Amino acid sequence: MKKKETFEASFGRLQEILTKMENPDTSLDDSLALYAEGAKLVKSCMQQLEEARVKFTAITGELESGEEA
């Protein structure tokens, strides 16, 4: 099974993809492949952000109710 990339690594790769796609020398075929890769990375980043939000909410709720983590 492939190890899940960190949010930071995925976001960094998204920035690289954007830079390549903005380059006028990037071919249409390469742009399409980059777009497909980027779409997968965006989905992964969104899932990781949602997981972090859920954890943050749980921690905040525990702090507000006086429970220990």
Side-chain angles (χ1 to χ4, degrees):
M1 186 164 83
K2 187 177 177 182
K3 186 178 177 183
K4 188 175 181 179
E5 290 283 336
T6 65
F7 176 83
E8 294 79 10
S10 295
F11 193 78
R13 179 62 183 145
L14 278 169
Q15 290 175 316
E16 292 172 5
I17 289 170
L18 180 59
T19 299
K20 288 181 182 181
M21 290 182 71
E22 288 175 335
N23 184 337
D25 294 331
T26 302
S27 70
L28 179 59
D29 286 341
D30 288 343
S31 291
L32 289 171
L34 289 165
Y35 182 84
E37 181 184 354
K40 290 177 184 176
L41 288 168
V42 166
K43 183 177 179 180
S44 174
C45 285
M46 290 176 67
Q47 288 173 339
Q48 290 180 62
L49 286 171
E50 177 59 18
E51 290 169 8
R53 185 196 65 78
V54 168
K55 289 178 184 177
F56 180 80
T57 301
I59 292 167
T60 303
E62 290 170 0
L63 291 173
E64 289 173 356
S65 68
E67 297 176 20
E68 290 188 22

Coordinates of all heavy atoms in Angstrom, one line a residue:
M1 N 0.8 -1.2 0.0 CA 0.0 0.0 0.0 C 0.9 1.2 0.0 O 1.9 1.3 0.7 CB -0.9 0.0 1.2 CG -1.9 1.1 1.2 SD -3.3 0.9 2.4 CE -2.5 1.5 3.9
K2 N 0.5 2.2 -0.8 CA 1.3 3.5 -0.9 C 1.0 4.3 0.3 O -0.1 4.5 0.7 CB 0.9 4.2 -2.2 CG 1.7 5.4 -2.5 CD 1.3 6.1 -3.8 CE 2.1 7.3 -4.0 NZ 1.7 8.0 -5.2
K3 N 2.2 4.9 0.9 CA 2.1 5.7 2.0 C 1.5 7.1 1.6 O 1.8 7.6 0.6 CB 3.4 6.0 2.6 CG 3.4 6.7 3.9 CD 4.8 6.9 4.5 CE 4.7 7.7 5.8 NZ 6.0 8.0 6.4
K4 N 0.6 7.6 2.4 CA -0.1 8.9 2.2 C 0.9 10.0 2.3 O 1.7 10.1 3.3 CB -1.2 9.0 3.2 CG -2.1 10.2 3.0 CD -3.2 10.2 4.0 CE -4.2 11.3 3.8 NZ -5.3 11.2 4.8
E5 N 1.0 10.9 1.3 CA 1.8 12.1 1.4 C 1.4 13.0 2.5 O 0.2 13.1 2.8 CB 1.8 12.8 0.0 CG 2.4 12.1 -1.1 CD 3.9 12.2 -1.1 OE1 4.5 13.1 -0.5 OE2 4.6 11.3 -1.7
T6 N 2.3 13.8 3.0 CA 1.9 14.8 4.0 C 1.2 15.9 3.3 O 1.4 16.1 2.1 CB 3.1 15.3 4.7 OG1 4.0 16.0 3.8 CG2 3.9 14.3 5.4
F7 N 0.5 16.7 4.0 CA -0.2 17.8 3.5 C 0.8 18.8 2.8 O 0.6 19.3 1.7 CB -1.0 18.6 4.6 CG -1.7 19.8 4.1 CD1 -2.9 19.7 3.4 CD2 -1.1 21.0 4.2 CE1 -3.5 20.9 2.9 CE2 -1.7 22.2 3.7 CZ -2.9 22.1 3.1
E8 N 1.9 19.0 3.6 CA 2.9 19.9 3.1 C 3.5 19.5 1.8 O 3.8 20.3 0.9 CB 4.0 20.1 4.2 CG 3.5 20.8 5.4 CD 2.7 19.9 6.4 OE1 2.7 18.7 6.2 OE2 2.1 20.5 7.3
A9 N 3.8 18.2 1.7 CA 4.4 17.6 0.4 C 3.4 17.8 -0.7 O 3.8 18.2 -1.8 CB 4.8 16.2 0.6
S10 N 2.2 17.4 -0.5 CA 1.1 17.5 -1.5 C 0.9 19.0 -2.0 O 0.8 19.3 -3.2 CB -0.2 17.0 -1.0 OG -0.1 15.6 -0.8
F11 N 0.9 19.9 -1.0 CA 0.7 21.3 -1.3 C 1.9 21.8 -2.1 O 1.7 22.6 -3.1 CB 0.5 22.1 -0.1 CG 0.0 23.5 -0.3 CD1 -1.4 23.7 -0.6 CD2 0.8 24.6 -0.3 CE1 -1.8 25.0 -0.9 CE2 0.4 25.9 -0.5 CZ -1.0 26.1 -0.9
G12 N 3.1 21.4 -1.7 CA 4.3 21.8 -2.5 C 4.3 21.3 -3.9 O 4.6 22.1 -4.8
R13 N 3.8 20.1 -4.1 CA 3.7 19.5 -5.4 C 2.7 20.3 -6.2 O 2.9 20.6 -7.4 CB 3.4 18.0 -5.4 CG 3.3 17.4 -6.7 CD 4.5 17.4 -7.6 NE 4.3 16.9 -8.9 CZ 4.8 17.3 -10.0 NH1 5.7 18.2 -10.0 NH2 4.5 16.7 -11.1
L14 N 1.6 20.7 -5.6 CA 0.6 21.5 -6.3 C 1.2 22.8 -6.8 O 0.9 23.3 -7.9 CB -0.6 21.8 -5.4 CG -1.7 20.7 -5.3 CD1 -2.6 21.0 -4.1 CD2 -2.4 20.5 -6.6
Q15 N 2.0 23.4 -6.0 CA 2.6 24.7 -6.4 C 3.6 24.4 -7.6 O 3.6 25.3 -8.5 CB 3.4 25.3 -5.2 CG 2.5 25.8 -4.1 CD 3.2 26.3 -2.9 OE1 4.2 25.7 -2.4 NE2 2.8 27.5 -2.4
E16 N 4.3 23.3 -7.6 CA 5.2 23.0 -8.7 C 4.3 22.8 -10.0 O 4.7 23.2 -11.1 CB 5.9 21.7 -8.4 CG 7.0 21.8 -7.4 CD 7.6 20.5 -7.0 OE1 7.3 19.4 -7.6 OE2 8.4 20.4 -6.0
I17 N 3.2 22.1 -9.8 CA 2.3 21.8 -11.0 C 1.8 23.1 -11.5 O 1.8 23.4 -12.8 CB 1.2 20.9 -10.6 CG1 1.7 19.5 -10.4 CG2 0.0 20.9 -11.6 CD1 0.7 18.5 -9.7
L18 N 1.4 24.0 -10.7 CA 0.9 25.3 -11.1 C 1.9 26.1 -11.9 O 1.7 26.7 -13.0 CB 0.4 26.2 -9.9 CG -0.2 27.5 -10.3 CD1 -1.4 27.4 -11.2 CD2 -0.6 28.2 -9.0
T19 N 3.1 26.1 -11.4 CA 4.2 26.8 -12.1 C 4.5 26.2 -13.5 O 4.6 26.9 -14.5 CB 5.5 26.7 -11.2 OG1 5.3 27.4 -10.0 CG2 6.7 27.4 -12.0
K20 N 4.5 24.9 -13.6 CA 4.7 24.2 -14.9 C 3.5 24.5 -15.8 O 3.7 24.7 -17.0 CB 4.8 22.7 -14.7 CG 6.1 22.3 -14.1 CD 6.2 20.8 -13.9 CE 7.6 20.4 -13.3 NZ 7.7 19.0 -13.2
M21 N 2.3 24.5 -15.3 CA 1.1 24.8 -16.2 C 1.1 26.2 -16.6 O 0.6 26.5 -17.7 CB -0.2 24.4 -15.4 CG -0.3 22.9 -15.3 SD -1.9 22.5 -14.5 CE -3.0 22.9 -15.8
E22 N 1.7 27.2 -15.9 CA 1.7 28.6 -16.3 C 2.8 28.8 -17.3 O 2.7 29.8 -18.0 CB 2.0 29.4 -15.1 CG 0.8 29.5 -14.1 CD 1.1 30.3 -12.9 OE1 2.2 30.4 -12.4 OE2 0.1 30.9 -12.3
N23 N 3.7 27.9 -17.5 CA 4.7 28.0 -18.5 C 4.2 27.8 -19.9 O 3.6 26.8 -20.2 CB 5.8 27.0 -18.2 CG 7.0 27.1 -19.1 OD1 6.9 27.7 -20.2 ND2 8.2 26.6 -18.7
P24 N 4.3 28.8 -20.8 CA 3.7 28.7 -22.1 C 4.4 27.6 -22.9 O 3.8 27.1 -23.9 CB 4.0 30.1 -22.7 CG 5.0 30.7 -21.9 CD 5.0 30.1 -20.6
D25 N 5.6 27.1 -22.5 CA 6.2 26.0 -23.2 C 5.7 24.6 -22.9 O 6.1 23.6 -23.5 CB 7.7 26.0 -23.0 CG 8.4 27.3 -23.6 OD1 7.9 27.8 -24.6 OD2 9.4 27.7 -23.0
T26 N 4.8 24.5 -21.9 CA 4.3 23.2 -21.5 C 3.2 22.8 -22.5 O 2.3 23.6 -22.8 CB 3.6 23.3 -20.1 OG1 4.6 23.7 -19.1 CG2 3.1 22.0 -19.6
S27 N 3.4 21.6 -23.0 CA 2.4 21.1 -24.0 C 1.1 20.9 -23.5 O 0.9 20.7 -22.3 CB 3.0 19.8 -24.7 OG 2.9 18.8 -23.7
L28 N 0.1 20.8 -24.4 CA -1.3 20.5 -23.9 C -1.3 19.1 -23.3 O -2.0 19.0 -22.2 CB -2.2 20.5 -25.2 CG -3.7 20.2 -24.9 CD1 -4.3 21.2 -23.8 CD2 -4.5 20.2 -26.2
D29 N -0.7 18.1 -23.8 CA -0.7 16.8 -23.2 C -0.1 16.8 -21.8 O -0.6 16.2 -20.9 CB 0.1 15.8 -24.1 CG -0.7 15.4 -25.3 OD1 -1.9 15.6 -25.4 OD2 -0.1 14.9 -26.3
D30 N 1.0 17.5 -21.7 CA 1.7 17.6 -20.4 C 0.7 18.4 -19.4 O 0.6 18.0 -18.2 CB 3.0 18.3 -20.4 CG 4.1 17.4 -21.1 OD1 3.9 16.2 -21.2 OD2 5.1 18.0 -21.5
S31 N 0.1 19.4 -19.9 CA -0.8 20.2 -19.0 C -2.0 19.4 -18.5 O -2.4 19.5 -17.4 CB -1.4 21.4 -19.8 OG -0.3 22.4 -20.0
L32 N -2.5 18.5 -19.4 CA -3.6 17.6 -19.0 C -3.2 16.6 -18.0 O -3.9 16.4 -17.0 CB -4.2 16.9 -20.2 CG -5.0 17.8 -21.2 CD1 -5.3 17.0 -22.5 CD2 -6.2 18.3 -20.5
A33 N -2.0 16.1 -18.1 CA -1.5 15.1 -17.2 C -1.2 15.8 -15.8 O -1.5 15.3 -14.8 CB -0.2 14.5 -17.7
L34 N -0.7 17.0 -15.9 CA -0.4 17.8 -14.7 C -1.8 18.2 -14.0 O -1.9 18.1 -12.7 CB 0.3 19.1 -15.0 CG 1.8 18.9 -15.4 CD1 2.4 20.2 -16.0 CD2 2.6 18.5 -14.1
Y35 N -2.8 18.5 -14.8 CA -4.1 18.8 -14.2 C -4.7 17.6 -13.5 O -5.2 17.8 -12.4 CB -5.0 19.3 -15.3 CG -6.4 19.7 -14.8 CD1 -6.6 21.0 -14.3 CD2 -7.4 18.8 -14.8 CE1 -7.8 21.4 -13.8 CE2 -8.7 19.2 -14.3 CZ -8.9 20.5 -13.8 OH -10.1 20.8 -13.3
A36 N -4.6 16.5 -14.1 CA -5.1 15.2 -13.5 C -4.4 14.9 -12.2 O -5.0 14.6 -11.2 CB -4.9 14.1 -14.4
E37 N -3.1 15.1 -12.2 CA -2.3 14.9 -10.9 C -2.7 15.9 -9.9 O -2.9 15.6 -8.7 CB -0.8 15.0 -11.2 CG 0.1 14.8 -10.0 CD 1.5 15.0 -10.2 OE1 2.0 15.2 -11.3 OE2 2.3 14.9 -9.2
G38 N -2.9 17.2 -10.3 CA -3.2 18.2 -9.4 C -4.6 18.0 -8.8 O -4.8 18.2 -7.6
A39 N -5.5 17.5 -9.6 CA -6.9 17.2 -9.1 C -6.9 16.2 -8.0 O -7.6 16.3 -6.9 CB -7.8 16.8 -10.2
K40 N -6.0 15.2 -8.1 CA -5.9 14.1 -7.1 C -5.3 14.7 -5.8 O -5.7 14.4 -4.7 CB -5.1 13.0 -7.6 CG -5.7 12.1 -8.6 CD -4.8 11.0 -9.2 CE -5.5 10.3 -10.3 NZ -4.6 9.3 -10.9
L41 N -4.3 15.6 -6.0 CA -3.6 16.2 -4.9 C -4.6 17.1 -4.1 O -4.6 17.2 -2.9 CB -2.4 16.9 -5.3 CG -1.2 16.1 -5.7 CD1 -0.1 16.9 -6.4 CD2 -0.6 15.3 -4.5
V42 N -5.4 17.9 -4.9 CA -6.4 18.8 -4.2 C -7.4 17.9 -3.4 O -7.6 18.3 -2.2 CB -7.2 19.6 -5.3 CG1 -8.4 20.3 -4.7 CG2 -6.2 20.6 -5.9
K43 N -7.8 16.8 -3.9 CA -8.7 16.0 -3.2 C -8.1 15.5 -1.9 O -8.7 15.5 -0.8 CB -9.2 14.8 -4.0 CG -10.2 13.9 -3.4 CD -10.6 12.8 -4.3 CE -11.6 11.9 -3.6 NZ -12.1 10.8 -4.5
S44 N -6.8 15.0 -2.0 CA -6.1 14.5 -0.8 C -5.9 15.6 0.2 O -6.1 15.4 1.4 CB -4.7 14.0 -1.3 OG -3.9 13.7 -0.2
C45 N -5.5 16.8 -0.3 CA -5.4 18.0 0.7 C -6.7 18.3 1.4 O -6.7 18.6 2.6 CB -4.8 19.2 -0.1 SG -3.1 19.1 -0.5
M46 N -7.8 18.3 0.6 CA -9.1 18.6 1.2 C -9.4 17.6 2.3 O -10.0 17.9 3.4 CB -10.1 18.7 0.2 CG -9.9 20.0 -0.7 SD -11.1 20.1 -2.1 CE -12.6 20.4 -1.2
Q47 N -9.2 16.3 2.0 CA -9.5 15.3 3.0 C -8.6 15.5 4.3 O -9.1 15.3 5.4 CB -9.2 13.9 2.4 CG -10.2 13.5 1.4 CD -9.8 12.2 0.6 OE1 -8.7 11.8 0.6 NE2 -10.8 11.5 0.0
Q48 N -7.3 15.8 4.1 CA -6.5 16.0 5.2 C -6.9 17.2 6.0 O -6.8 17.1 7.3 CB -5.0 16.1 4.8 CG -4.4 14.8 4.2 CD -3.0 14.9 3.8 OE1 -2.1 15.2 4.6 NE2 -2.8 14.7 2.5
L49 N -7.3 18.2 5.4 CA -7.8 19.4 6.1 C -9.0 19.1 6.9 O -9.2 19.6 8.0 CB -8.0 20.6 5.1 CG -6.8 21.3 4.6 CD1 -7.1 22.2 3.5 CD2 -6.0 22.0 5.7
E50 N -9.9 18.3 6.3 CA -11.2 17.9 7.0 C -10.8 17.1 8.2 O -11.4 17.3 9.3 CB -12.1 17.2 6.1 CG -13.4 16.7 6.7 CD -14.2 17.7 7.3 OE1 -14.1 19.0 7.0 OE2 -15.1 17.4 8.2
E51 N -9.9 16.1 8.1 CA -9.4 15.3 9.2 C -8.9 16.2 10.3 O -9.1 16.0 11.5 CB -8.4 14.3 8.8 CG -9.0 13.2 7.9 CD -7.9 12.3 7.2 OE1 -6.7 12.5 7.6 OE2 -8.3 11.5 6.4
A52 N -8.1 17.2 9.9 CA -7.5 18.1 10.9 C -8.6 18.9 11.6 O -8.5 19.2 12.8 CB -6.5 19.0 10.3
R53 N -9.6 19.4 10.8 CA -10.7 20.1 11.4 C -11.4 19.3 12.4 O -11.8 19.8 13.5 CB -11.6 20.6 10.3 CG -12.8 21.5 10.8 CD -13.9 21.7 9.8 NE -14.6 20.4 9.6 CZ -15.5 19.9 10.5 NH1 -15.8 20.5 11.6 NH2 -16.1 18.8 10.2
V54 N -11.7 18.1 12.1 CA -12.4 17.2 13.1 C -11.6 17.0 14.3 O -12.1 17.1 15.5 CB -12.7 15.8 12.4 CG1 -13.2 14.8 13.4 CG2 -13.7 16.0 11.3
K55 N -10.3 16.8 14.2 CA -9.4 16.6 15.4 C -9.4 17.9 16.2 O -9.5 17.9 17.4 CB -8.0 16.2 15.0 CG -7.9 14.8 14.5 CD -6.5 14.5 14.0 CE -6.3 13.2 13.4 NZ -5.0 12.9 12.9
F56 N -9.3 19.0 15.5 CA -9.3 20.3 16.2 C -10.6 20.6 17.0 O -10.5 21.0 18.1 CB -9.0 21.4 15.2 CG -9.0 22.8 15.8 CD1 -7.9 23.3 16.4 CD2 -10.1 23.6 15.8 CE1 -7.8 24.6 17.0 CE2 -10.1 24.9 16.3 CZ -9.0 25.4 16.9
T57 N -11.7 20.2 16.3 CA -13.0 20.4 17.0 C -13.1 19.5 18.2 O -13.6 19.9 19.2 CB -14.1 20.1 16.0 OG1 -14.0 21.0 14.9 CG2 -15.5 20.3 16.6
A58 N -12.6 18.3 18.1 CA -12.7 17.4 19.2 C -11.8 17.9 20.4 O -12.2 17.9 21.6 CB -12.2 16.0 18.8
I59 N -10.6 18.4 20.1 CA -9.7 18.9 21.1 C -10.3 20.1 21.8 O -10.3 20.3 23.0 CB -8.3 19.2 20.5 CG1 -7.6 17.9 20.1 CG2 -7.5 20.0 21.5 CD1 -6.4 18.1 19.3
T60 N -10.9 21.0 20.9 CA -11.5 22.2 21.5 C -12.7 21.9 22.4 O -12.9 22.4 23.4 CB -11.9 23.1 20.3 OG1 -10.8 23.4 19.5 CG2 -12.6 24.4 20.8
G61 N -13.5 20.9 21.9 CA -14.6 20.5 22.7 C -14.2 19.9 24.1 O -14.8 20.1 25.1
E62 N -13.1 19.1 24.0 CA -12.6 18.5 25.3 C -12.1 19.6 26.2 O -12.3 19.6 27.4 CB -11.4 17.6 25.0 CG -11.9 16.3 24.3 CD -10.8 15.4 23.8 OE1 -9.6 15.8 24.0 OE2 -11.1 14.4 23.2
L63 N -11.4 20.6 25.7 CA -10.9 21.7 26.5 C -12.1 22.5 27.1 O -12.0 22.9 28.3 CB -10.0 22.7 25.7 CG -8.7 22.1 25.2 CD1 -8.0 23.1 24.3 CD2 -7.8 21.8 26.4
E64 N -13.1 22.7 26.3 CA -14.2 23.5 26.8 C -15.0 22.7 27.9 O -15.6 23.4 28.8 CB -15.1 23.9 25.7 CG -14.5 24.9 24.8 CD -15.4 25.2 23.5 OE1 -16.4 24.6 23.3 OE2 -15.0 26.1 22.8
S65 N -15.0 21.4 27.8 CA -15.8 20.6 28.8 C -14.9 20.2 29.9 O -15.5 19.6 30.9 CB -16.4 19.4 28.1 OG -15.4 18.5 27.7
G66 N -13.6 20.5 29.9 CA -12.8 20.2 31.0 C -12.2 18.8 31.0 O -11.6 18.3 31.9
E67 N -12.5 18.0 29.8 CA -12.0 16.7 29.7 C -10.5 16.7 29.3 O -10.0 17.7 28.7 CB -12.8 15.9 28.6 CG -14.2 15.7 29.0 CD -15.0 15.0 27.9 OE1 -14.4 14.4 27.0 OE2 -16.2 15.2 27.8
E68 N -9.8 15.6 29.6 CA -8.4 15.5 29.1 C -8.4 14.7 27.8 O -9.2 13.9 27.5 CB -7.6 14.8 30.2 CG -7.4 15.6 31.4 CD -6.4 14.9 32.3 OE1 -5.6 14.1 31.9 OE2 -6.4 15.2 33.5
A69 N -7.4 15.1 27.0 CA -7.2 14.4 25.7 C -6.7 13.0 25.8 O -6.0 12.7 26.7 CB -6.3 15.2 24.8

